[in-house]
Amino acid sequence: MSLIKGLKLKINYSKSVEELVKAGKYAYVNSDITSDSFPSSESGTANLEAVIFEPKDYSSSEGILKEMETVGLKPATLKELLEFGIKYPKEQLKHYVVALGSVWRYPFGGRHVPYLWGYVSERRLDLLWFDSSWDQDDRFLACKVSRTLGTLDSGSLEKEHKHLWTVKELVCSCGEVKSLWVKRWVGK
């Protein structure tokens, strides 16, 4: 696994998916990427350090999520992915950038996650199967929070995957305040 760090984002969670999509100026947007398909209880603003997470080998979505957790990262939600696309539009021309923190169930069964991709200068926002097998060419947006208040819902994950990330502030012996995300499961 490798990480590309230092990508700063200021997220306004009060903006709708539609507002963020419009600001991203994508050549193509999957018609299922809407506030209705991806409801969010996130609100307020946060300053985030975004990280592009690169798996070291083939893995499932669950495997990627476990790897992220072991290094203290949370998977990006759709709104975080959209803000990333606005601020860093050229990143998606290099490789897929997937947000595993928001999962949508297609009416006929399959689970999907949003991702950014493109070629030449055409940028796209689409959905991929959550149950895919990912490889070393795929990238995943993850976040560390530099300073925030409250609780963030990890998105519209299905009940068996739904959890809340709650920020806990720790004071180190040097007096510096560190934020630590603690996962709390909601439902089964």
Side-chain angles (χ1 to χ4, degrees), residues 15-167:
K15 287 186 179 179
S16 70
V17 169
E18 290 76 12
E19 289 173 298
L20 292 167
V21 166
K22 184 177 179 180
K25 301 177 185 169
Y26 300 100
Y28 169 81
V29 177
N30 185 300
S31 62
D32 290 314
I33 298 177
T34 64
S35 294
D36 288 338
S37 296
F38 291 91
S40 172
S41 62
E42 299 164 318
S43 62
T45 61
N47 293 313
L48 303 177
E49 179 185 347
V51 173
I52 297 177
F53 185 85
E54 180 181 341
K56 60 184 171 196
D57 206 354
Y58 288 91
S59 185
S60 66
S61 294
E62 287 87 357
I64 298 293
L65 291 169
K66 285 179 187 172
E67 273 191 77
M68 284 182 185
E69 186 176 11
T70 62
V71 293
L73 299 173
K74 76 171 197 75
T77 64
L78 173 59
K79 288 184 177 183
E80 292 160 352
L81 179 72
L82 293 172
E83 193 64 51
F84 173 82
I86 293 165
K87 185 153 185 193
Y88 302 100
K90 293 183 181 177
E91 280 300 315
Q92 72 188 80
L93 300 175
K94 299 175 188 175
H95 40 248
Y96 288 179
V97 181
V98 182
L100 292 175
S102 295
V103 179
W104 173 71
R105 183 175 286 281
Y106 186 69
F108 302 108
R111 298 180 294 171
H112 294 77
V113 290
Y115 76 107
L116 301 172
W117 70 284
Y119 54 90
V120 187
S121 63
E122 185 173 286
R123 297 171 51 246
R124 294 173 167 248
L125 173 62
D126 209 346
L127 296 170
L128 284 171
W129 291 92
F130 177 82
D131 298 312
S132 294
S133 178
W134 307 101
D135 64 32
Q136 303 91 322
D137 294 328
D138 299 312
R139 303 294 184 269
F140 302 86
L141 189 64
C143 299
K144 284 188 173 183
V145 175
S146 59
R147 192 83 165 131
T148 190
L149 298 173
T151 301
L152 296 179
D153 183 343
S154 65
S156 58
L157 294 177
E158 297 185 63
K159 192 169 186 177
E160 68 267 22
H161 289 90
K162 190 168 183 175
H163 54 271
L164 297 176
W165 294 87
T166 305
V167 69

